[in-house]
Amino acid sequence: MEESGTTSTDRNTELPTAIRTAARHVLETSGAAGLSLEAVARAGGLAVADVEAVFPHRDDLLTALIVDAYNASGAVMEQADRAAEEAGASAGARLLAVARALRQWSFDHPAEFALIYGSPVPGYHAPQDTVPAASRTPAVLAGIVRSALRAGELTPPRRTVPGPPLLLPPAVELFGGVPEAPFSDLIERGIVLWSNLIGLLVFQVFSRTHDSVRDQSVFFDFAVAVAAEGVGLVVPLDEHTD
């Protein structure tokens, strides 16, 4: 019989949440290299045995944090895309909206951004469990590009990918099939767009452009527009108000 208003179900939910919160604190102060079950226990005022009961190994906790970060960043992009689409925005404007949303999340959560897009953690190999969450970001971009293709908003490329397709089946499946010519290399171009976006964020979050660019947010919008030209999409750059 429970003697308080806290049930065993509540405790089963609260402990993993407390561990994750403590682990994020360790990430912020010591980076992924400093993440250990003992460090997390100290940061959260928990017993190591309690942490081990939920996450038996450091890699289990690391995987949970990676999945959380991918899901959180993917969710803000999905929300931004829904809002832009409901407002009647063009595909180019939707792309800018989701890119800005991911940028804001990245600056608000630099440690988690570094965890998923920074240097690999020595000795850690991400399991398949991380794939669905990691796929949310490219899935949002793919959805916007598909919409642009259906709406006739894309300009055919001037240069095509030489030789046979460069794609693996999961990429084709995520996009929903290979488009017909002249957009038969659109998925490859979409991957370039995706990698350009993440690379741009790495430069901005880790202050690689601060000694060469006067206005980081305006430059970000411009860079997204330039990258979008690779898939034949026009991103409207209105007056910047951030």
Side-chain angles (χ1 to χ4, degrees):
M1 179 177 178
E2 296 294 336
E3 297 180 356
S4 72
T6 302
T7 67
S8 59
T9 300
D10 291 333
R11 287 195 297 271
N12 290 340
T13 301
E14 291 169 359
L15 182 57
T17 299
I19 294 171
R20 281 173 156 88
T21 300
R24 292 188 186 99
H25 177 72
V26 173
L27 284 179
E28 291 169 0
T29 57
S30 304
L35 188 72
S36 68
L37 301 187
E38 293 76 14
V40 171
R42 287 195 300 271
L46 303 166
V48 174
D50 287 341
V51 177
E52 291 177 338
V54 181
F55 299 104
H57 304 285
R58 183 218 54 171
D59 285 5
D60 299 321
L61 177 55
L62 197 53
T63 295
L65 294 175
I66 289 170
V67 169
D68 286 350
Y70 276 129
N71 278 329
S73 58
V76 299
M77 293 178 71
E78 292 162 358
Q79 291 163 5
D81 190 34
R82 281 195 299 270
E85 187 175 19
E86 289 171 0
S90 66
R94 287 168 58 190
L95 176 63
L96 184 59
V98 303
R100 285 174 171 175
L102 181 58
R103 180 179 188 268
Q104 187 61 55
W105 179 88
S106 301
F107 276 101
D108 290 344
H109 304 86
E112 291 166 82
F113 174 84
L115 178 63
I116 56 177
Y117 293 122
S119 300
V121 180
Y124 174 78
H125 301 283
Q128 283 295 111
D129 296 355
T130 62
V131 173
S135 297
R136 291 176 72 169
T137 291
V140 173
L141 300 178
I144 292 171
V145 173
R146 279 198 310 269
S147 295
L149 181 61
R150 288 194 301 266
E153 296 182 39
L154 298 184
T155 301
R158 290 178 293 179
R159 179 196 298 269
T160 59
V161 174
L166 303 174
L167 303 169
L168 293 173
V172 177
E173 181 180 355
L174 186 145
F175 191 80
V178 176
E180 296 181 357
F183 297 104
S184 54
D185 62 358
L186 186 59
I187 302 176
E188 288 96 333
R189 292 174 177 278
I191 295 172
V192 173
L193 172 63
W194 172 31
S195 60
N196 282 348
L197 173 60
I198 300 305
L200 175 62
L201 288 170
V202 167
F203 263 55
Q204 292 216 327
V205 174
F206 299 149
S207 300
R208 296 293 187 267
T209 54
H210 284 65
D211 59 352
S212 54
V213 174
R214 179 175 56 81
D215 190 317
Q216 300 298 317
S217 55
V218 171
F219 178 78
F220 179 83
D221 288 358
F222 168 74
V224 170
V226 170
E229 291 176 356
V231 296
L233 185 61
V234 174
V235 170
L237 295 180
D238 52 8
E239 183 176 351
H240 195 85
T241 57
D242 287 356

